[in-house]
Amino acid sequence: MDQKSIGKARWARARAASLWQQADDLDRNHSGDWRARATRRRGADRLRAEAARFDGIANRLQPFDEDQAA
């Protein structure tokens, strides 16, 4: 595996982690009426779907995390 792919995989994993965190932050916010909560829940679902997409990209570029393998 070349360094360019490893770098892209790390970037994709970091982006996925950021999106997961954003989704979790939306879920923790319980303010507003039922419509606001439903809107945030849908937004969190979209963020998680995008995070899963970036995880898939990272897995294609680097099937296993070399940092954990060592």
Side-chain angles (χ1 to χ4, degrees):
M1 174 167 295
D2 63 347
Q3 287 298 108
K4 191 173 184 179
S5 293
I6 291 171
K8 287 179 182 180
R10 286 183 180 158
W11 176 86
R13 287 190 203 287
R15 181 72 176 137
S18 173
L19 291 169
W20 280 106
Q21 181 63 46
Q22 290 176 38
D24 290 343
D25 291 343
L26 280 177
D27 280 342
R28 281 189 212 105
N29 185 352
H30 298 290
S31 64
D33 63 355
W34 66 271
R35 279 178 234 125
R37 289 189 299 273
T39 299
R40 282 193 301 272
R41 189 170 40 251
R42 285 192 303 271
D45 289 344
R46 284 192 298 272
L47 287 170
R48 286 189 182 96
E50 192 70 4
R53 187 175 75 86
F54 278 103
D55 275 337
I57 291 169
N59 288 335
R60 280 192 300 278
L61 290 170
Q62 185 179 11
F64 59 93
D65 194 0
E66 291 179 5
D67 295 335
Q68 293 177 359

Coordinates of all heavy atoms in Angstrom, one line a residue:
M1 N 0.8 -1.2 0.0 CA 0.0 0.0 0.0 C 0.9 1.2 0.0 O 1.9 1.3 0.7 CB -0.9 0.0 1.2 CG -1.7 1.2 1.4 SD -3.0 1.1 2.6 CE -4.0 -0.2 1.9
D2 N 0.6 2.2 -0.8 CA 1.4 3.4 -0.9 C 1.0 4.5 0.1 O -0.1 4.4 0.7 CB 1.3 4.0 -2.3 CG -0.1 4.4 -2.7 OD1 -1.0 4.1 -2.0 OD2 -0.2 5.1 -3.7
Q3 N 1.9 5.4 0.3 CA 1.7 6.4 1.4 C 0.5 7.3 1.0 O -0.2 7.7 1.9 CB 2.9 7.3 1.5 CG 4.1 6.6 2.2 CD 3.7 6.2 3.6 OE1 3.5 5.1 3.9 NE2 3.6 7.2 4.5
K4 N 0.2 7.5 -0.2 CA -0.9 8.4 -0.7 C -2.3 7.7 -0.2 O -3.1 8.4 0.3 CB -0.9 8.6 -2.2 CG -1.8 9.6 -2.7 CD -1.6 9.9 -4.1 CE -2.5 11.0 -4.6 NZ -2.2 11.3 -6.1
S5 N -2.4 6.4 -0.4 CA -3.6 5.7 0.0 C -3.8 5.7 1.5 O -4.9 5.8 2.0 CB -3.6 4.3 -0.6 OG -3.7 4.3 -1.9
I6 N -2.6 5.5 2.2 CA -2.7 5.5 3.7 C -3.1 6.9 4.2 O -4.0 7.0 5.1 CB -1.3 5.1 4.2 CG1 -1.0 3.7 3.9 CG2 -1.3 5.4 5.7 CD1 0.4 3.3 4.3
G7 N -2.6 7.9 3.6 CA -3.0 9.3 3.9 C -4.5 9.5 3.7 O -5.2 10.1 4.5
K8 N -5.0 9.1 2.5 CA -6.4 9.3 2.2 C -7.3 8.5 3.2 O -8.3 8.9 3.6 CB -6.7 8.8 0.8 CG -6.1 9.8 -0.3 CD -6.4 9.2 -1.7 CE -5.9 10.1 -2.8 NZ -6.2 9.6 -4.1
A9 N -6.8 7.3 3.5 CA -7.6 6.4 4.4 C -7.7 7.1 5.8 O -8.7 7.1 6.4 CB -7.0 5.0 4.5
R10 N -6.6 7.6 6.3 CA -6.6 8.3 7.6 C -7.5 9.5 7.5 O -8.2 9.8 8.5 CB -5.2 8.7 7.9 CG -4.3 7.5 8.4 CD -3.0 7.9 8.8 NE -2.2 6.8 9.3 CZ -0.9 6.7 9.3 NH1 -0.2 7.8 9.0 NH2 -0.3 5.6 9.7
W11 N -7.4 10.3 6.4 CA -8.3 11.4 6.3 C -9.8 11.0 6.3 O -10.6 11.6 7.0 CB -8.0 12.2 5.0 CG -9.0 13.3 4.8 CD1 -8.9 14.6 5.3 CD2 -10.2 13.3 4.1 NE1 -9.9 15.3 4.9 CE2 -10.8 14.6 4.2 CE3 -10.9 12.3 3.3 CZ2 -12.0 14.9 3.6 CZ3 -12.1 12.6 2.8 CH2 -12.6 13.9 2.9
A12 N -10.1 9.9 5.6 CA -11.5 9.5 5.6 C -11.9 9.0 6.9 O -13.1 9.2 7.4 CB -11.6 8.3 4.5
R13 N -11.1 8.3 7.7 CA -11.4 7.9 9.0 C -11.6 9.1 10.0 O -12.6 9.1 10.8 CB -10.3 7.0 9.6 CG -10.3 5.6 9.0 CD -9.4 4.6 9.7 NE -9.0 3.5 8.8 CZ -9.8 2.5 8.5 NH1 -11.0 2.5 8.9 NH2 -9.3 1.6 7.7
A14 N -10.8 10.1 9.8 CA -10.9 11.3 10.7 C -12.2 12.0 10.3 O -13.0 12.5 11.2 CB -9.8 12.2 10.5
R15 N -12.6 12.1 9.1 CA -13.8 12.7 8.6 C -15.0 11.9 9.2 O -16.0 12.5 9.6 CB -13.9 12.8 7.1 CG -15.1 13.5 6.5 CD -15.0 14.9 6.8 NE -16.2 15.5 6.1 CZ -16.9 16.5 6.7 NH1 -16.6 16.9 7.9 NH2 -18.0 16.9 6.0
A16 N -15.0 10.6 9.1 CA -16.1 9.8 9.6 C -16.2 10.0 11.1 O -17.3 10.2 11.6 CB -15.8 8.3 9.3
A17 N -15.1 10.1 11.8 CA -15.2 10.3 13.3 C -15.8 11.6 13.6 O -16.6 11.8 14.5 CB -13.8 10.2 13.9
S18 N -15.4 12.6 12.8 CA -16.0 14.0 13.0 C -17.5 14.0 12.8 O -18.3 14.6 13.5 CB -15.3 15.0 12.1 OG -15.9 16.2 12.1
L19 N -17.9 13.3 11.7 CA -19.4 13.2 11.4 C -20.1 12.5 12.5 O -21.2 12.9 12.9 CB -19.6 12.6 10.0 CG -19.1 13.4 8.9 CD1 -19.1 12.6 7.6 CD2 -20.0 14.7 8.7
W20 N -19.6 11.4 13.0 CA -20.2 10.6 14.1 C -20.4 11.5 15.3 O -21.4 11.5 16.0 CB -19.4 9.4 14.5 CG -19.6 8.3 13.6 CD1 -18.7 7.8 12.6 CD2 -20.7 7.4 13.5 NE1 -19.2 6.7 12.0 CE2 -20.5 6.4 12.5 CE3 -21.9 7.4 14.1 CZ2 -21.4 5.5 12.1 CZ3 -22.8 6.4 13.8 CH2 -22.6 5.5 12.8
Q21 N -19.3 12.3 15.6 CA -19.4 13.2 16.8 C -20.5 14.3 16.6 O -21.2 14.6 17.5 CB -18.0 13.9 17.0 CG -18.0 14.8 18.2 CD -18.2 14.1 19.5 OE1 -17.7 13.0 19.7 NE2 -19.1 14.6 20.3
Q22 N -20.6 14.8 15.4 CA -21.6 15.8 15.1 C -23.0 15.2 15.3 O -23.9 15.9 15.8 CB -21.5 16.4 13.7 CG -20.3 17.2 13.5 CD -20.1 17.7 12.1 OE1 -21.1 17.9 11.4 NE2 -18.9 17.7 11.6
A23 N -23.2 14.0 14.8 CA -24.5 13.3 15.0 C -24.8 13.1 16.4 O -25.9 13.3 16.9 CB -24.5 12.0 14.2
D24 N -23.8 12.7 17.2 CA -24.0 12.5 18.7 C -24.4 13.8 19.3 O -25.2 13.8 20.2 CB -22.8 11.8 19.3 CG -22.5 10.4 18.9 OD1 -23.5 9.8 18.4 OD2 -21.4 9.9 19.1
D25 N -23.7 14.9 18.9 CA -24.1 16.2 19.5 C -25.5 16.6 19.2 O -26.2 17.1 20.1 CB -23.1 17.2 19.0 CG -21.7 17.1 19.5 OD1 -21.5 16.3 20.5 OD2 -20.8 17.7 18.9
L26 N -25.9 16.3 18.0 CA -27.3 16.6 17.7 C -28.3 15.7 18.5 O -29.3 16.2 19.0 CB -27.6 16.3 16.2 CG -27.2 17.4 15.2 CD1 -27.4 16.9 13.8 CD2 -27.9 18.7 15.5
D27 N -28.0 14.5 18.8 CA -28.8 13.6 19.6 C -28.9 14.1 21.0 O -29.9 13.9 21.7 CB -28.3 12.2 19.5 CG -28.8 11.5 18.2 OD1 -29.7 12.0 17.6 OD2 -28.2 10.5 17.9
R28 N -27.8 14.7 21.5 CA -27.8 15.1 22.9 C -28.6 16.3 23.2 O -29.0 16.6 24.3 CB -26.4 15.3 23.4 CG -25.6 14.1 23.7 CD -24.3 14.3 24.3 NE -23.4 13.3 23.9 CZ -22.4 13.4 23.0 NH1 -22.2 14.6 22.5 NH2 -21.7 12.4 22.7
N29 N -28.9 17.1 22.1 CA -29.7 18.3 22.3 C -31.2 18.0 22.3 O -31.8 17.5 21.4 CB -29.4 19.2 21.1 CG -30.1 20.6 21.2 OD1 -30.9 20.8 22.1 ND2 -29.7 21.5 20.3
H30 N -31.8 18.2 23.5 CA -33.2 17.9 23.7 C -34.1 19.1 23.7 O -35.2 19.0 24.2 CB -33.4 17.1 25.0 CG -32.6 15.7 24.9 ND1 -33.0 14.7 24.1 CD2 -31.5 15.3 25.6 CE1 -32.2 13.7 24.3 NE2 -31.3 14.0 25.2
S31 N -33.6 20.2 23.3 CA -34.4 21.4 23.4 C -35.4 21.5 22.2 O -35.3 20.8 21.2 CB -33.5 22.7 23.3 OG -32.8 22.7 22.1
G32 N -36.4 22.4 22.3 CA -37.3 22.6 21.3 C -38.5 21.7 21.3 O -38.6 20.8 22.2
D33 N -39.4 21.9 20.4 CA -40.6 21.0 20.4 C -40.3 19.7 19.6 O -39.2 19.5 19.2 CB -41.8 21.8 19.8 CG -41.5 22.2 18.3 OD1 -40.4 22.0 17.8 OD2 -42.5 22.8 17.7
W34 N -41.4 19.0 19.4 CA -41.2 17.7 18.7 C -40.7 17.8 17.3 O -39.9 16.9 16.8 CB -42.5 16.8 18.8 CG -43.6 17.4 18.0 CD1 -44.5 18.3 18.4 CD2 -43.9 17.2 16.6 NE1 -45.4 18.6 17.4 CE2 -45.0 17.9 16.3 CE3 -43.3 16.3 15.7 CZ2 -45.6 17.9 15.0 CZ3 -43.9 16.3 14.4 CH2 -45.0 17.1 14.1
R35 N -41.1 18.9 16.6 CA -40.6 19.1 15.2 C -39.1 19.4 15.2 O -38.4 18.8 14.3 CB -41.4 20.3 14.6 CG -42.7 19.9 14.1 CD -43.5 21.1 13.5 NE -44.7 21.1 14.3 CZ -45.2 22.1 15.0 NH1 -44.6 23.2 15.0 NH2 -46.3 22.0 15.6
A36 N -38.6 20.2 16.1 CA -37.2 20.5 16.1 C -36.4 19.2 16.5 O -35.4 19.0 15.9 CB -36.9 21.6 17.2
R37 N -36.9 18.4 17.4 CA -36.2 17.2 17.7 C -36.2 16.2 16.6 O -35.2 15.5 16.3 CB -36.8 16.5 19.0 CG -36.5 17.3 20.2 CD -36.9 16.6 21.5 NE -38.4 16.3 21.6 CZ -39.3 17.2 22.1 NH1 -38.9 18.4 22.6 NH2 -40.6 16.9 22.1
A38 N -37.3 16.1 15.8 CA -37.4 15.2 14.7 C -36.5 15.7 13.6 O -35.8 14.9 12.9 CB -38.9 15.2 14.2
T39 N -36.4 17.0 13.4 CA -35.5 17.6 12.4 C -34.0 17.2 12.7 O -33.2 16.8 11.9 CB -35.6 19.1 12.3 OG1 -37.0 19.3 11.9 CG2 -34.7 19.7 11.2
R40 N -33.7 17.4 14.0 CA -32.3 17.1 14.4 C -32.0 15.6 14.3 O -30.9 15.1 13.9 CB -32.1 17.5 15.9 CG -31.8 19.0 16.0 CD -31.3 19.3 17.4 NE -32.2 19.0 18.4 CZ -33.2 19.7 18.9 NH1 -33.4 20.9 18.4 NH2 -33.9 19.3 19.9
R41 N -33.0 14.7 14.6 CA -32.9 13.3 14.5 C -32.6 12.9 13.0 O -31.7 12.1 12.7 CB -34.1 12.6 15.0 CG -33.9 11.1 15.2 CD -35.0 10.4 15.9 NE -36.4 10.9 15.6 CZ -37.1 11.7 16.5 NH1 -36.6 12.0 17.7 NH2 -38.3 12.1 16.2
R42 N -33.4 13.5 12.1 CA -33.1 13.2 10.7 C -31.7 13.7 10.2 O -31.1 13.1 9.5 CB -34.2 13.9 9.8 CG -35.5 13.2 9.9 CD -36.5 13.7 8.8 NE -36.7 15.1 8.9 CZ -37.7 15.7 9.6 NH1 -38.5 15.0 10.4 NH2 -37.8 17.0 9.6
G43 N -31.3 14.9 10.8 CA -30.0 15.4 10.4 C -28.9 14.5 11.0 O -27.9 14.2 10.3
A44 N -29.1 14.0 12.2 CA -28.1 13.0 12.8 C -28.1 11.7 11.9 O -27.0 11.2 11.7 CB -28.5 12.7 14.2
D45 N -29.2 11.3 11.5 CA -29.3 10.1 10.6 C -28.5 10.3 9.3 O -27.7 9.4 8.9 CB -30.7 9.7 10.3 CG -31.4 9.1 11.5 OD1 -30.8 8.7 12.5 OD2 -32.7 9.1 11.4
R46 N -28.6 11.5 8.7 CA -27.9 11.8 7.5 C -26.4 11.8 7.8 O -25.6 11.4 7.0 CB -28.4 13.1 6.9 CG -29.7 12.9 6.2 CD -30.0 14.2 5.3 NE -30.2 15.4 6.1 CZ -31.3 15.8 6.7 NH1 -32.4 15.2 6.5 NH2 -31.3 16.9 7.4
L47 N -26.0 12.4 8.9 CA -24.6 12.5 9.2 C -24.0 11.1 9.5 O -22.9 10.8 9.0 CB -24.4 13.3 10.5 CG -24.6 14.9 10.3 CD1 -24.6 15.5 11.7 CD2 -23.5 15.4 9.5
R48 N -24.8 10.2 10.1 CA -24.3 8.9 10.3 C -24.2 8.1 9.0 O -23.2 7.3 8.8 CB -25.2 8.1 11.3 CG -25.0 8.6 12.7 CD -25.8 7.7 13.7 NE -25.6 8.3 15.0 CZ -26.4 9.1 15.6 NH1 -27.5 9.4 15.1 NH2 -26.1 9.6 16.8
A49 N -25.1 8.3 8.1 CA -25.0 7.7 6.8 C -23.7 8.2 6.0 O -23.0 7.4 5.4 CB -26.2 8.0 5.9
E50 N -23.5 9.5 6.1 CA -22.3 10.0 5.5 C -21.0 9.5 6.1 O -20.0 9.1 5.5 CB -22.3 11.5 5.5 CG -21.3 12.2 4.7 CD -21.5 12.1 3.2 OE1 -22.6 11.5 2.8 OE2 -20.7 12.5 2.4
A51 N -21.0 9.3 7.5 CA -19.9 8.8 8.2 C -19.6 7.3 7.8 O -18.5 6.9 7.6 CB -20.1 8.9 9.7
A52 N -20.7 6.6 7.6 CA -20.6 5.2 7.2 C -20.0 5.1 5.8 O -19.1 4.3 5.5 CB -21.9 4.5 7.2
R53 N -20.3 6.1 4.9 CA -19.8 6.1 3.6 C -18.2 6.4 3.6 O -17.5 5.7 2.9 CB -20.4 7.2 2.8 CG -20.1 7.3 1.3 CD -20.9 8.3 0.5 NE -20.5 9.6 0.8 CZ -19.5 10.3 0.1 NH1 -18.8 9.6 -0.8 NH2 -19.1 11.5 0.4
F54 N -17.8 7.3 4.5 CA -16.4 7.6 4.6 C -15.7 6.4 5.2 O -14.5 6.2 4.9 CB -16.2 8.9 5.5 CG -16.3 10.2 4.6 CD1 -17.4 10.9 4.7 CD2 -15.3 10.5 3.8 CE1 -17.5 12.1 4.0 CE2 -15.4 11.7 3.0 CZ -16.5 12.5 3.1
D55 N -16.3 5.7 6.2 CA -15.7 4.5 6.7 C -15.5 3.5 5.6 O -14.4 2.8 5.6 CB -16.6 3.9 7.8 CG -16.3 4.5 9.2 OD1 -15.2 5.1 9.4 OD2 -17.2 4.4 10.0
G56 N -16.4 3.4 4.7 CA -16.3 2.4 3.6 C -15.2 2.8 2.7 O -14.4 2.0 2.2
I57 N -15.0 4.1 2.4 CA -13.9 4.6 1.6 C -12.6 4.2 2.3 O -11.7 3.7 1.6 CB -14.0 6.1 1.4 CG1 -15.2 6.4 0.5 CG2 -12.7 6.7 0.8 CD1 -15.6 7.9 0.4
A58 N -12.5 4.5 3.6 CA -11.3 4.2 4.3 C -11.0 2.7 4.3 O -9.8 2.3 4.1 CB -11.4 4.7 5.7
N59 N -12.0 1.9 4.4 CA -11.8 0.4 4.4 C -11.3 -0.1 3.0 O -10.5 -1.0 2.9 CB -13.0 -0.3 4.8 CG -13.3 -0.1 6.3 OD1 -12.3 0.1 7.1 ND2 -14.5 -0.3 6.7
R60 N -11.8 0.6 2.0 CA -11.3 0.2 0.6 C -9.9 0.6 0.4 O -9.1 -0.1 -0.3 CB -12.2 0.8 -0.4 CG -13.5 0.1 -0.7 CD -14.2 0.5 -1.9 NE -14.6 2.0 -1.9 CZ -15.7 2.5 -1.3 NH1 -16.5 1.7 -0.6 NH2 -15.9 3.8 -1.3
L61 N -9.5 1.8 0.9 CA -8.2 2.3 0.7 C -7.1 1.6 1.6 O -6.0 1.3 1.2 CB -8.1 3.8 1.0 CG -8.8 4.7 0.0 CD1 -8.8 6.1 0.5 CD2 -8.1 4.6 -1.4
Q62 N -7.6 1.2 2.8 CA -6.7 0.6 3.8 C -7.5 -0.4 4.6 O -8.2 -0.1 5.6 CB -6.1 1.6 4.7 CG -5.1 1.1 5.7 CD -4.5 2.2 6.5 OE1 -5.1 3.3 6.6 NE2 -3.5 1.9 7.3
P63 N -7.6 -1.7 4.1 CA -8.5 -2.6 4.7 C -8.3 -2.9 6.2 O -9.2 -3.2 6.9 CB -8.2 -3.9 3.9 CG -7.5 -3.5 2.7 CD -6.8 -2.2 3.0
F64 N -7.1 -2.6 6.7 CA -6.9 -2.8 8.2 C -6.1 -1.6 8.6 O -5.3 -1.0 7.8 CB -6.2 -4.1 8.5 CG -4.9 -4.2 7.9 CD1 -3.7 -3.8 8.5 CD2 -4.7 -4.8 6.6 CE1 -2.5 -3.9 7.9 CE2 -3.5 -4.9 6.0 CZ -2.4 -4.5 6.7
D65 N -6.3 -1.2 9.8 CA -5.6 0.0 10.4 C -4.2 -0.4 10.8 O -4.0 -1.2 11.8 CB -6.4 0.6 11.6 CG -5.9 1.9 12.0 OD1 -4.9 2.4 11.3 OD2 -6.5 2.5 12.9
E66 N -3.2 0.0 10.1 CA -1.8 -0.4 10.4 C -1.3 0.0 11.8 O -0.5 -0.6 12.4 CB -0.9 0.1 9.3 CG -1.1 -0.5 8.0 CD -0.2 0.0 6.9 OE1 0.7 0.9 7.2 OE2 -0.3 -0.4 5.8
D67 N -1.9 1.1 12.3 CA -1.5 1.6 13.6 C -2.0 0.6 14.7 O -1.3 0.3 15.7 CB -2.2 2.9 14.0 CG -1.7 4.0 13.1 OD1 -0.5 3.9 12.6 OD2 -2.4 5.0 12.9
Q68 N -3.1 -0.1 14.5 CA -3.6 -1.1 15.5 C -2.9 -2.4 15.2 O -2.8 -3.2 16.2 CB -5.1 -1.2 15.3 CG -5.9 0.0 15.8 CD -7.4 -0.1 15.6 OE1 -7.8 -1.2 15.1 NE2 -8.1 0.9 15.9
A69 N -2.4 -2.7 14.0 CA -1.8 -3.9 13.8 C -0.4 -4.1 14.4 O 0.1 -5.2 14.7 CB -1.7 -4.1 12.2
A70 N 0.2 -2.9 14.6 CA 1.6 -2.9 15.2 C 1.6 -3.2 16.7 O 0.6 -3.1 17.4 CB 2.3 -1.6 14.9

